[in-house]
Amino acid sequence: MNATIAPADASASVLDTVPKLLLHNAQRYGSRPAFREKAFGIWQTWTWAQTKDEIEAFAVGLELLGLKAGETVAIIGDNRPHLYWAFCAAQSLGAIPVPVYQDSVAEEMAYVLTHAEVKYAIVEDQEQADKVLSIAADVGTIRKIVYNDPRGLQKYDPNDLVSIESVQEAGRKALKSDPAVRKAWLDGIAAGKGSDISVVLYTSGTTGRPKGVMLTQENVVVSGRNANLFDHFTPDDTMIAYLPMAWVGDHIFSYGQAFAGALCVSCPESPDTITEDRREIGPTYFFAPPRVFENMLTQIMVRMEDAGRLKKAAFDYFLKVARRAGEPILDGRPVSFGDRLRYRIGDVLVYGPLRNRMGFSNLRVAYTAGEAIGPELFSFFRSLGINLKQLYGQTEASVFITLQPNGEVYPETVGKPGPDVQIKIAENGEVLFKSPGVFLRYYKNDEATAETKTADGWVHTGDAGFIDQRGHLRIIDRAKDVGRLTNGTLFAPKYIENRLKFYPEIKEAVAIGHGRDFVTVLINIDLTSVGNWAERNNVIYASYQELAAHPDVYAMIERRIDELNKSLATEEMVAGSQIHRFLILHKELDADDGELTRTQKVRRSFIADRYAPLITALYDGTPRCQIRTEVTFEDGRKGVIEGDVKIVDMKTYPPVKAAVREAAE
Amino acid sequence: MKADVQERSGAAGAGHAVADRVIGDVLLSVENVSLAFGGVKAISDVSFDIRKGEIRAIIGPNGAGKTSMLNVINGFYHPNQGAITFKGRKRSIMRPYIAASQGISRTFQNLALFKGMSTLDNIMAGRALKMRRGLLWQALHWGPALSEEIKHREAVEKIIDFLEIQHIRKAPVGKLPYGLQKRVELGRALAMEPDLLLLDEPMAGMNLEEKKDMSRYILTVNDQLGTTVALIEHDMGVVMDISDRVVVLEYGRKIADGTPDEVQRDQRVIDAYLGISH
């Protein structure tokens, strides 16, 4: 491996925009792979030189179409090389890409497109084109839609839509006929500055309308470069791009870091084939929110339940070995010879095949963020030899605020400040930071900018946390969500919820307690895991609702919560937050119903309103409650789910000392 | 700019732009066909035709003889009377192998997939008629046989992409949900690159979303590949939405034939479906 890291050389200072990085990569790493996409079952590869040609033709074509500097371009679709190129093509012309969540419904999309005043929409396929067409009249500023996949679009009005291919074709023709065209394009890139606006990313936001976070070229380029340095990424590293392109994480990882370090980005065939595609690619760098890791663990556990007895026994035994020795070995701490040997055998028999199954055979670094990850879940993956680490970041920071350095990984913390990042804790416990990634401002929302960003450049994260004695940041909860029970006990809902969600049977939990006498929770069961259990135990059910109300399922969840209460009793800070009552919701929380954000975070206040009768019942002691809820189906129609929900009282335990006494008996 | 597009981009079914589709000459015609099983008359004296490029629906209450009609068309049943003219050649009985080699492919009401085989292999099976190399070559899996397989695999991958079943490419079809199995079966029928595609209740047992998807696939196949489609379907909404002409059978007799609108207004059809008071 002789590849060196691009950003370290002297020219780094002038490579301050992504289009400049593109030219640099095409020259220096011309024959190395830049993008991969699986089409018709085969991986197609574009080298950096080819990528440059594609983007060049695309940019010139867009310019011929009428795109001008300073105008905004919406980019909507699943992760596709052509859409990543659209970012760079627009930026090379001084235009500003605005990625939009591909699963948002037309109305949500209309808000973003109108607010950003987009002139062109570059979309993946018919589905997205239809959505944009349906709102184009309301948005009013859209001149043309440019699409990637022509299927089903042939009969549409060419005045409304053109294909990326035809745009590129026009660009190629112009480039061929007149050498001045290329020169003009290159001059345009050379004139770009680090302070130019590179992208507007709309945050899904847990409350209110989405805000458009404006990042500069420098934000993206420097953040990408620093992250590459932090984990020593080289052009040999490869990742798989599968998270929404409108999300800052994907933008920094698959675009910022990829261009800054000439890494290779692979795009899966379809959203349903990611697991398979990941196995084939074997990424060395992987990012996933905790939810994805949770699903992986659930799937492994479900499969192992169905495995033969010998396999199951081997799995259980070596998992125990891994739990004991895995993490110390990964961190380079001393481990006894016997355990080292057992771990080595386990690696051949169990861990290796498991990693291969998950597509982690070549993995060097994996990150998780977005939400706190259950410590047991986190340790599970690390004990298998997967270098999973946490980071803490947000859109306003171009992702990186803190990261866990290799060898200093503590599950309860989110790591140390990243390169060039400063953090401080405000009086009320809120975390503030300052970094090269700090956003410029919110698009057309100076009020929100002023609230978030202080005059001297500090940004309010909205999260409460503290720095521990090792210098690591610990996040407890959203600053505004941390509350107190009526008796003054600290109540951090997310902490409780995350502990619950680690149980494979529980998919989602909402804890309530601020200003109340005690803590209660609403539970969503995990249909994969509980459904599998039901199948094995001959429990017959027709719907989520029916399974959720099953007495045996209630009993199972009750056991889990009892376990948690026992465990909470041993933790001084949260012993008072033991769960007194719980219920299992009659429907799954869903982003389409507004209960979760598009990044699958719980929208607490919305849920409190929507399920107010249930919450009242949780506190007035009634054993059952009737509830009617409106739901939105995937095709946009609405319906009503009605249910009778049972509420269960839990036993709570006196703090710590009691546990000791019990043990002594 | 948007008014005309709005209407087209509504539901999947509504994307059916008739504008430049060409409905051509008669591709297949059934003349005075009668079929009896012993004393049971399944079809009596039915005539209708299917034109090149159209979507033709055969509807009727249970036991009306719809599936029997399809079976007569592709030669699985031999009619007692009447004739079938396909691509200008008149035959008193059709043979399944002639039907298949002449470009008729079909799907079945109750699915007839190889359950233990993967999606990929099932669709590959649809290419069997197009394979030139014999068993021995295939077994060697080398040289011309290999390059042939690559060519066919390419065709199959296009179908997989078209039907959006990449994620189940390697999954054994027996384990797939019903809606997906239906899609795989359509894929296998498409793999034959048929001129006439016979679909026996393609939407049976599907939910609304799956029906919409299936309608979209049928329309696109018809629209872009120019494949003629004859389908049996019980969902009247779907039938009226996607078909050009509808023939209605009742107790083995034809009671109506025409555009969806005409058929819907026909008193005999209304009676057949809703019953009449005597």
Side-chain angles (χ1 to χ4, degrees):
Chain A
M1 210 171 66
N2 54 7
T4 50
I5 300 164
D9 62 42
S11 60
S13 57
V14 294
L15 294 175
D16 54 357
T17 70
V18 177
K20 286 180 192 172
L21 286 166
L22 170 73
L23 299 182
H24 172 83
N25 291 345
Q27 200 182 33
R28 186 152 172 181
Y29 305 107
S31 59
R32 300 187 68 98
F35 284 92
R36 287 201 174 103
E37 181 186 32
K38 200 175 185 189
F40 300 122
I42 295 172
W43 287 100
Q44 319 281 334
T45 306
W46 289 269
T47 64
W48 279 105
Q50 286 166 332
T51 301
K52 190 218 105 192
D53 290 343
E54 295 275 357
I55 292 174
E56 181 181 53
F58 200 171
V60 173
L62 284 174
E63 197 171 20
L64 290 171
L65 214 57
L67 178 63
K68 289 181 190 60
E71 291 180 339
T72 46
V73 180
I75 296 176
I76 314 164
D78 288 324
N79 315 64
R80 299 277 161 224
H82 284 86
L83 296 187
Y84 285 109
W85 301 341
F87 280 92
C88 193
Q91 288 171 353
S92 73
L93 300 173
I96 303 157
V98 183
V100 182
Y101 281 95
Q102 75 276 24
D103 61 348
S104 46
V105 292
E107 298 89 80
E108 288 171 347
M109 205 171 267
Y111 173 78
V112 173
L113 299 196
T114 313
H115 188 258
E117 300 167 41
V118 303
K119 302 294 188 293
Y120 295 88
I122 300 176
V123 303
E124 183 195 2
D125 55 10
Q126 186 185 17
E127 182 192 345
Q128 307 299 345
D130 280 347
K131 272 194 268 181
V132 177
L133 281 172
S134 73
I135 56 171
D138 299 333
V139 175
T141 50
I142 300 176
R143 293 186 206 132
K144 238 181 189 58
I145 297 168
V146 183
Y147 58 85
N148 186 18
D149 179 359
R151 182 206 314 198
L153 289 168
Q154 284 93 338
K155 297 280 164 69
Y156 284 47
D157 187 350
N159 289 319
D160 297 343
L161 302 99
V162 288
S163 68
I164 291 182
E165 212 169 298
S166 70
V167 170
Q168 286 185 309
E169 204 41 56
R172 279 193 195 103
K173 231 192 221 158
L175 284 160
K176 218 173 189 177
S177 63
D178 186 0
V181 173
R182 174 165 290 130
K183 185 163 183 310
W185 184 66
L186 292 173
D187 287 348
I189 291 175
K193 295 188 300 291
S195 56
D196 292 345
I197 293 155
S198 71
V199 68
V200 181
L201 298 165
Y202 280 80
T203 57
S204 55
T206 40
T207 48
R209 285 289 198 181
K211 288 179 285 193
V213 178
M214 301 170 84
L215 298 182
T216 63
Q217 286 285 355
E218 207 148 34
N219 287 155
V220 175
V221 170
V222 175
S223 298
R225 188 172 292 157
N226 281 347
N228 285 342
L229 287 171
F230 187 81
D231 281 304
H232 314 289
F233 287 122
T234 72
D236 287 323
D237 281 299
T238 155
M239 62 183 118
I240 188 150
Y242 70 103
L243 290 160
M245 294 178 77
W247 176 61
V248 68
D250 185 71
H251 189 70
I252 298 297
F253 305 137
S254 314
Y255 188 70
Q257 277 188 258
F259 276 76
L263 316 185
C264 176
V265 175
S266 301
C267 298
E269 190 167 22
S270 86
D272 301 325
T273 58
I274 289 157
T275 319
E276 205 46 41
D277 294 337
R278 193 173 57 222
R279 265 183 74 189
E280 288 172 7
I281 287 293
T284 59
Y285 177 33
F286 180 68
F287 180 92
R291 185 171 296 263
V292 171
F293 289 106
E294 265 166 41
N295 283 342
M296 278 186 210
L297 177 65
T298 309
Q299 263 164 22
I300 292 172
M301 290 308 181
V302 165
R303 284 178 90 114
M304 285 321 295
E305 290 291 343
D306 291 339
R309 209 183 282 170
L310 184 71
K311 277 188 189 167
K312 179 88 170 80
F315 176 78
D316 288 342
Y317 173 76
F318 283 111
L319 225 53
K320 229 178 275 162
V321 174
R323 211 167 290 147
R324 194 166 63 224
E327 280 197 87
I329 288 175
L330 191 65
D331 290 342
R333 278 179 276 145
V335 177
S336 77
F337 177 76
D339 272 353
R340 230 172 242 285
L341 189 68
R342 273 187 281 268
Y343 189 83
R344 193 63 72 77
I345 297 168
D347 200 49
V348 175
L349 293 178
V350 177
Y351 321 140
L354 270 180
R355 286 199 303 268
N356 184 33
R357 225 343 75 225
M358 296 184 282
F360 289 162
S361 291
N362 297 334
L363 197 73
R364 288 208 301 117
V365 181
Y367 274 108
T368 184
E371 291 216 33
I373 187 166
E376 293 89 347
L377 176 65
F378 188 65
S379 300
F380 171 82
F381 282 95
R382 288 185 57 77
S383 70
L384 295 180
I386 295 162
N387 188 16
L388 176 61
K389 305 195 285 180
Q390 295 186 72
L391 66 80
Y392 169 65
Q394 45 178 221
T395 312
E396 287 82 351
S398 310
V399 179
F400 304 105
I401 298 173
T402 63
L403 309 92
Q404 293 178 329
N406 286 338
E408 286 183 62
V409 177
Y410 314 107
E412 67 280 9
T413 82
V414 290
K416 286 178 164 170
D420 304 336
V421 180
Q422 294 168 265
I423 55 176
K424 69 176 183 190
I425 309 292
E427 292 263 303
N428 65 351
E430 189 177 354
V431 180
L432 281 77
F433 70 91
K434 209 175 191 177
S435 80
V438 168
F439 73 120
L440 191 64
R441 58 173 187 274
Y442 292 115
Y443 188 51
K444 296 200 290 195
N445 192 345
D446 291 335
E447 195 188 330
T449 310
E451 267 170 35
T452 311
K453 204 171 158 181
T454 63
D456 49 352
W458 288 94
V459 179
H460 292 268
T461 60
D463 289 321
F466 61 91
I467 297 168
D468 69 10
Q469 64 275 26
R470 296 167 298 207
H472 283 239
L473 180 66
R474 243 184 111 161
I475 299 290
I476 328 175
D477 205 336
R478 294 293 295 170
K480 65 174 170 31
D481 285 341
V482 175
R484 286 181 187 279
L485 302 180
T486 41
N487 63 10
T489 318
L490 181 84
F491 167 65
K494 218 175 228 168
Y495 185 78
I496 310 278
E497 290 162 8
N498 288 332
R499 290 291 298 267
L500 282 169
K501 276 155 64 180
F502 176 63
Y503 295 116
E505 298 89 358
I506 297 176
K507 186 171 182 194
E508 204 58 76
V510 184
I512 302 153
H514 176 59
R516 307 273 189 174
D517 294 339
F518 52 83
V519 176
T520 61
V521 287
L522 312 173
I523 301 277
N524 250 187
I525 53 169
D526 187 300
L527 205 50
T528 321
S529 158
V530 181
N532 188 279
W533 165 86
E535 208 172 286
R536 276 182 283 114
N537 291 281
N538 292 323
V539 172
I540 295 156
Y541 66 99
S543 63
Y544 174 87
Q545 188 176 1
E546 204 178 319
L547 187 62
H550 197 282
D552 289 354
V553 173
Y554 257 95
M556 177 164 69
I557 300 297
E558 195 177 336
R559 277 196 303 278
R560 291 310 199 181
I561 294 183
D562 189 58
E563 251 173 67
L564 177 64
N565 275 351
K566 272 187 199 140
S567 151
L568 288 178
T570 63
E571 292 172 47
E572 204 188 328
M573 292 274 282
V574 287
S577 302
Q578 288 179 55
I579 297 157
H580 282 64
R581 305 190 82 201
F582 83 94
L583 60 81
I584 302 179
L585 280 172
H586 59 300
K587 72 173 278 287
E588 286 185 277
L589 297 176
D590 196 319
D592 284 347
D593 293 329
E595 294 158 337
L596 303 176
T597 66
R598 287 284 160 208
T599 45
Q600 307 284 313
K601 290 181 202 164
V602 166
R603 291 171 74 172
R604 216 176 294 280
S605 56
F606 182 86
I607 289 172
D609 279 355
R610 191 174 163 95
Y611 296 108
L614 289 183
I615 292 165
T616 314
L618 277 170
Y619 285 97
D620 68 10
T622 47
R624 303 200 79 90
C625 179
Q626 270 287 334
I627 179 100
R628 266 172 72 89
T629 334
E630 193 175 79
V631 293
T632 312
F633 297 112
E634 279 198 8
D635 60 359
R637 291 176 312 128
K638 290 196 191 305
V640 169
I641 291 189
E642 221 167 320
D644 182 40
V645 179
K646 190 176 123 187
I647 299 170
V648 176
D649 285 290
M650 292 302 306
K651 195 172 146 198
T652 52
Y653 300 85
V656 196
K657 286 160 263 165
V660 176
R661 197 180 56 218
E662 237 169 72
E665 275 170 5
Chain B
M1 128 178 185
K2 303 300 157 218
D4 62 324
V5 179
Q6 276 288 16
E7 150 203 354
R8 259 191 274 147
S9 57
H16 193 27
V18 192
D20 26 335
R21 280 171 70 230
V22 191
I23 309 288
D25 302 333
V26 172
L27 177 70
L28 177 134
S29 69
V30 179
E31 287 156 58
N32 309 104
V33 162
S34 294
L35 173 72
F37 300 107
V40 183
K41 283 204 143 188
I43 303 173
S44 33
D45 198 26
V46 171
S47 306
F48 66 92
D49 59 20
I50 300 171
R51 290 174 176 280
K52 207 168 165 23
E54 76 176 340
I55 297 184
R56 186 73 148 125
I58 304 172
I59 64 169
N62 286 334
K66 304 178 299 284
T67 300
S68 299
M69 195 69 235
L70 281 200
N71 284 338
V72 166
I73 291 175
N74 83 333
F76 191 63
Y77 289 165
H78 298 159
N80 309 84
Q81 272 172 43
I84 303 142
T85 311
F86 181 60
K87 289 187 174 171
R89 180 132 179 233
K90 194 165 177 173
R91 294 181 175 89
S92 61
I93 50 171
M94 183 63 103
R95 302 274 178 194
Y97 67 88
I98 295 176
S101 60
Q102 294 287 305
I104 300 179
S105 72
R106 72 169 295 181
T107 68
F108 297 85
Q109 190 173 353
N110 298 320
L111 295 168
L113 291 162
F114 304 105
K115 294 205 178 295
M117 279 163 42
S118 68
T119 298
L120 185 64
D121 290 337
N122 266 284
I123 301 178
M124 271 304 238
R127 303 291 296 180
L129 265 179
K130 301 200 173 287
M131 303 265 188
R132 291 280 160 266
R133 299 286 154 188
L135 186 66
L136 195 63
W137 273 109
Q138 298 286 357
L140 277 174
H141 204 255
W142 172 79
L146 187 62
S147 63
E148 186 179 34
E149 170 150 344
I150 289 170
K151 200 184 81 200
H152 289 298
R153 173 72 187 268
E154 225 172 281
V156 168
E157 283 294 340
K158 283 194 177 131
I159 291 166
I160 289 178
D161 181 67
F162 169 69
L163 295 174
E164 298 171 272
I165 45 176
Q166 297 97 335
H167 59 294
I168 52 162
R169 190 184 275 130
K170 304 253 168 84
V173 294
K175 286 195 166 175
L176 298 175
Y178 188 72
L180 279 177
Q181 292 198 24
K182 281 263 177 194
R183 244 193 257 185
V184 175
E185 205 186 26
L186 175 62
R188 187 180 59 188
L190 287 177
M192 290 176 66
E193 296 172 17
D195 298 315
L196 175 60
L197 180 62
L198 307 176
L199 303 173
D200 197 349
E201 301 203 16
M203 332 251 172
M206 287 190 168
N207 65 30
L208 188 77
E209 191 123 354
E210 291 169 328
K211 279 184 186 173
K212 273 188 175 181
D213 282 345
M214 191 51 106
S215 304
R216 196 156 46 84
Y217 296 132
I218 295 173
L219 286 169
T220 317
V221 166
N222 171 257
D223 193 41
Q224 271 161 37
L225 308 176
T227 309
T228 310
V229 180
L231 65 102
I232 296 175
E233 185 47 59
H234 274 298
D235 186 318
M236 283 306 124
V238 170
V239 169
M240 299 305 162
D241 241 21
I242 69 172
S243 44
D244 298 297
R245 290 194 301 155
V246 183
V247 53
V248 190
L249 302 181
E250 188 195 18
Y251 298 122
R253 295 176 186 284
K254 182 168 97 170
I255 58 168
D257 189 353
T259 65
D261 276 348
E262 287 164 11
V263 166
Q264 256 173 324
R265 281 197 303 269
D266 192 297
Q267 191 56 44
R268 277 193 298 171
V269 177
I270 297 169
D271 292 344
Y273 270 91
L274 300 178
I276 31 172
S277 54
H278 292 282

